[in-house]
Amino acid sequence: MIPIGSDIAVAARYLNEGECVAIPTETVYGLAANALSEKAVAQIFELKQRPAFDPLIIHLASAERLEQYVRVIPAAFYKLYEAFSPGPISYVLPKKAIVPDLVTAGHPTVAVRFPAHPLCQELLQTLTFPLAAPSANIFGRVSPTEAGHVAQQFSHGLAYILDGGPAKVGLESTIIDLSQEKPLVLRLGGLSLEEIESALGEKVAYTKSSSSNPKAPGMLSAHYSPGIPLTHGKLDLNLAKVNRKRCGSISFCKRISGIPDHNQRILSPKGDLKEAASKLFAAMRSFDKETIDVILAEEFPNEGLGRAINDRLRRASVS
Ligand code: TXA
Ligand code: MG
């Protein structure tokens, strides 16, 4: 059993010793280690069973020491940083040599994030190095939004799980590439495209996930598998094909007729996309394999965080 607690000093001690520790952030829990130590970072890849071509995000308390790690900081960074950091956004910037190639999977850029979670902030402030941290799940599975989810996936290899309660945002950070002339969103996440566009005062392009996009390997289409087949789309079409008694459902604000109540996950009865986002991953992992053959997930409104919710559900449905 991996020890779980909320003692920052314990977490810091293990991280200083080069161990892996699960950390709470406002988006999802991370599997963290010293980003400047190849040996520590190698353990993350091994524990997660993550392919080495998929780069990691580094986490800092603030931009105060950012220049140690990146070569160029464009004006767009400061605009977004002022508006949204600390918070659910990661910035891809040209890296300096101090950031190990293992962290960036050989890319000349590094993704940097400043998490808002108070416990995580406090931890980062006590450390002299950034933390490399992917979501704390086995590669390809649903990201953990509670300390208990991490404990369910890992039985060893982690020194400690720092418990900061349920993640408030519940979707991974939005990743924006600022290393090219034009900003490009590589992954939709906890910060909406609309908010980014309004802070930058311009339209921003985003890449859709694919099975062969080397620019954002984590955008591989088959990801977020809940371990039970999931279909995503118009509910009435999919409902016609299944035995409703053995169905689970994920819907935005309405009940679905014919599906037993205890198999329904209505993410926000009041119709709030932020609330729905915060509940999505816990809902995806809450179904019982013995009694459920298929999960039917509704198409959410394609705006605000609804876009990122649809992205995760679409990828969970590819198997
Ligand atoms: O909210 C989050 O971002 C969470 C928390 C723990 O901070 N982290 C997270 O990490 O979701 P991970 O490893 O599951 O996803 C990071 C994604 C990967 O898909 C990777 O492809 C992309 O970030 N990425 C990292 N560095 C990159 C780079 N230099 N260029 C392009 N994409 C990069
Ligand atoms: Mg992940």
Side-chain angles (χ1 to χ4, degrees):
M1 278 282 283
I2 301 165
I4 304 187
S6 41
D7 193 332
I8 290 172
V10 172
R13 193 183 75 228
Y14 284 126
L15 290 164
N16 277 311
E17 289 168 358
E19 302 269 351
C20 287
V21 169
I23 56 163
T25 87
E26 72 281 14
T27 57
V28 299
Y29 275 71
L31 191 58
N34 179 352
L36 305 183
S37 158
E38 292 229 355
K39 202 169 152 211
V41 171
Q43 288 180 60
I44 296 179
F45 281 93
E46 197 181 307
L47 264 173
K48 240 194 106 111
Q49 297 162 34
R50 179 175 176 119
F53 62 75
D54 196 359
L56 305 177
I57 298 172
I58 68 168
H59 300 69
L60 287 166
S62 74
E64 202 183 319
R65 282 180 283 164
L66 183 60
E67 282 170 21
Q68 291 183 18
Y69 309 108
V70 307
R71 280 191 295 109
V72 189
I73 308 180
F77 169 84
Y78 291 104
K79 275 192 199 166
L80 294 170
Y81 182 84
E82 286 298 316
F84 306 120
S85 291
I89 176 167
S90 299
Y91 309 92
V92 172
L93 296 165
K95 87 174 186 82
K96 280 193 174 165
I98 186 176
V99 181
D101 287 336
L102 186 59
V103 170
T104 65
H107 286 263
T109 54
V110 60
V112 187
R113 183 161 107 76
F114 312 92
H117 192 293
L119 222 53
C120 188
Q121 264 290 322
E122 224 182 297
L123 174 65
L124 288 167
Q125 281 165 24
T126 69
L127 300 172
T128 56
F129 45 81
L131 290 177
S135 51
N137 52 279
I138 306 284
F139 186 72
R141 307 307 288 259
V142 181
S143 302
T145 51
E146 293 172 23
H149 299 165
V150 182
Q152 279 163 22
Q153 298 216 8
F154 298 96
S155 56
H156 66 279
L158 273 164
Y160 190 61
I161 299 174
L162 184 64
D163 188 351
K168 288 219 169 79
V169 176
L171 291 175
E172 301 85 350
S173 62
T174 296
I175 302 177
I176 186 159
D177 186 351
L178 299 178
S179 70
Q180 311 289 324
E181 204 177 315
K182 285 239 162 258
L184 174 67
V185 168
L186 300 178
R187 175 176 77 182
L188 290 168
L191 185 68
S192 72
L193 194 62
E194 289 89 336
E195 285 175 283
I196 290 179
E197 288 177 338
S198 122
L200 290 179
E202 61 178 306
K203 277 269 169 210
V204 176
Y206 71 97
T207 48
K208 286 242 164 79
S209 57
S210 79
S211 52
S212 61
N213 181 356
K215 182 86 187 137
M219 295 301 287
L220 296 179
S221 33
H223 229 74
Y224 301 97
S225 161
I228 301 175
L230 182 148
T231 68
H232 176 227
K234 296 261 177 291
L235 277 182
D236 29 345
L237 290 181
N238 290 327
L239 272 166
K241 302 178 209 152
V242 295
N243 169 4
R244 295 185 191 200
K245 294 278 171 289
R246 290 189 58 87
C247 266
S249 64
I250 297 178
S251 60
F252 183 22
C253 46
K254 291 204 188 81
R255 246 195 112 256
I256 292 148
S257 121
I259 294 185
D261 278 335
H262 62 273
N263 290 343
Q264 298 211 26
R265 307 289 177 266
I266 304 167
L267 300 189
S268 176
K270 65 172 190 267
D272 173 358
L273 284 169
K274 279 198 170 165
E275 180 183 35
S278 72
K279 297 201 170 144
L280 176 68
F281 289 157
M284 282 166 71
R285 58 169 74 232
S286 70
F287 296 101
D288 175 7
K289 284 193 183 65
E290 302 301 316
T291 56
I292 301 283
D293 298 329
V294 62
I295 303 166
L296 302 187
E298 180 174 36
E299 175 92 29
F300 281 63
N302 237 336
E303 63 189 26
L305 295 191
R307 250 190 277 221
I309 294 175
N310 284 330
D311 169 80
R312 302 305 188 268
L313 288 170
R314 185 162 40 80
R315 289 200 269 156
S317 73
V318 180
S319 53

